């Protein structure tokens, strides 16, 4: 697991523990039943309007914890099994929160971004489809030949080679010049502090969002 996942799992357990304390229920493993788990989901999640995706994320974390407890002999049943919430049906097209950029918006962005590093990162993203976190972690050694090599990903499927578009050749060559194989392609980004859940590419995301809004490429749907 990445550090961010560790923190998510810990938060899920802490939220459940806090709820047990608030409701005056015993906090021991032996006293925590399936009925308690069901009540937690109903009161602390459904009752408070927590989005099913967010709720299921916590339920998955708690279920993983209980599987470990079973393995270590502390309990016999996974009380979180079957507690997940039904996923919401996709909304109609006119209500979908996200949409693609229009050609005019892409033109405005490409021609309006004045920060060279952000423009380079946006160009790489546009011509590869890579995640920002993957772009931020590219090293010179990962950019040789005709493909970017992704060696660190959340799933096995994420470990892959991404073809380097011909229009990126000059960008990669410019950013690789006089750098050691271990140096980052985007050296301007700060390395996260030890123990931080922040990913190296988040600096790109923050700056791009600021620039995008400044250029007027911004659409926000009420309630999102």
């Amino acid at each position: 697991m990445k550090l961010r996942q560790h923190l998510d799992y810990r938060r899920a357990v802490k939220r459940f523990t806090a709820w047990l304390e608030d409701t005056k229920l015993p906090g021991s493993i032996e006293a925590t039943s399936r009925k308690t788990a069901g009540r937690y989901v109903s009161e602390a999640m459904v009752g408070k309007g927590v989005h099913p995706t967010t709720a299921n994320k916590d339920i998955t974390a708690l279920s993983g914890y209980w599987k470990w407890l079973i393995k270590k002999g502390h309990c016999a049943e996974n009380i979180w099994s079957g507690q997940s919430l039904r996923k919401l049906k996709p909304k109609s097209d006119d209500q979908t929160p996200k949409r693609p950029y229009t050609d005019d918006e892409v033109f405005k962005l490409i021609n309006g971004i004045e920060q060279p590093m952000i423009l380079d990162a946006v160009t790489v993203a546009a011509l590869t489809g890579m995640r920002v976190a993957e772009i931020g972690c590219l090293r010179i050694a990962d950019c040789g030949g005709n493909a970017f090599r992704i060696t660190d990903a959340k799933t096995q499927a994420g470990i892959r080679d991404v073809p380097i578009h011909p229009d990126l050749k000059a960008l990669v060559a410019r950013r690789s010049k006089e750098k050691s194989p271990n140096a980052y392609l985007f050296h301007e980004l700060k390395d996260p502090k030890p123990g931080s859940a922040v990913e190296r590419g988040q600096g790109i995301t923050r700056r791009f969002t600021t620039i995008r809004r400044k250029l007027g490429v911004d659409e926000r749907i009420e309630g999102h």
Side-chain angles (χ1 to χ4, degrees):
M1 284 187 184
K2 290 184 177 290
L3 180 59
R4 179 175 294 182
Q5 290 173 284
H6 277 279
L7 296 176
D8 286 342
Y9 271 49
R10 289 183 182 277
R11 274 194 292 266
V13 175
K14 286 181 179 179
R15 275 194 284 263
F16 179 53
T17 303
W19 177 82
L20 288 172
E21 293 175 354
D22 290 343
T23 51
K24 309 301 182 186
L25 290 172
S28 67
I29 298 300
E30 295 80 3
T32 307
S33 64
R34 176 174 288 274
K35 184 176 180 180
T36 303
R39 181 180 168 187
Y40 176 65
V41 172
S42 297
E43 293 181 7
M45 295 179 176
V46 177
K48 293 191 175 181
V50 176
H51 193 281
T53 300
T54 303
N56 288 339
K57 188 177 178 181
D58 273 17
I59 292 170
T60 297
L62 290 163
S63 178
Y65 182 36
W66 249 254
K67 288 177 183 177
W68 180 84
L69 290 169
I70 292 171
K71 181 179 178 180
K72 297 299 181 180
H74 295 294
C75 59
E77 178 193 14
N78 185 352
I79 62 175
W80 301 100
S81 176
Q83 299 283 9
S84 297
L85 303 182
R86 184 180 298 176
K87 295 181 180 179
L88 295 177
K89 292 182 180 180
K91 296 181 179 180
S92 60
D93 289 342
D94 61 338
Q95 294 178 307
T96 302
K98 294 183 180 179
R99 64 163 178 80
Y101 290 106
T102 65
D103 288 350
D104 287 342
E105 287 171 336
V106 173
F107 183 84
K108 185 182 288 188
L109 286 169
I110 295 299
N111 287 278
I113 297 175
E114 297 178 347
Q115 297 181 26
M117 188 271 286
I118 300 300
L119 182 58
D120 283 353
V122 166
T123 304
V124 173
L127 295 179
T128 64
M130 291 165 57
R131 294 174 58 245
V132 176
E134 294 170 340
I135 294 171
C137 290
L138 283 173
R139 296 181 187 271
I140 303 305
D142 301 324
C143 306
N146 296 312
F148 294 116
R149 283 177 291 280
I150 309 302
T151 58
D152 183 18
K154 290 182 178 180
T155 64
Q156 187 61 37
I159 307 298
R160 67 201 190 280
D161 286 353
V162 179
I164 297 178
H165 192 284
D167 289 345
L168 290 176
K169 294 283 187 178
L171 184 156
V172 172
R174 168 169 49 82
R175 286 194 155 270
S176 301
K177 190 176 181 180
E178 298 181 357
K179 286 185 180 178
S180 68
N182 198 46
Y184 285 108
L185 187 67
F186 287 88
H187 59 273
E188 299 93 335
L189 297 171
K190 293 181 179 180
D191 288 332
K193 294 179 181 179
S196 171
V198 174
E199 294 180 333
R200 198 171 186 275
Q202 285 188 9
I204 298 172
T205 303
R206 286 195 298 269
R207 291 186 224 177
F208 173 72
T209 302
T210 300
I211 295 169
R212 174 177 61 75
R213 290 175 177 168
K214 186 177 180 180
L215 291 172
V217 182
D218 192 26
E219 180 179 300
R220 309 187 199 192
I221 297 175
E222 187 177 351
H224 292 272

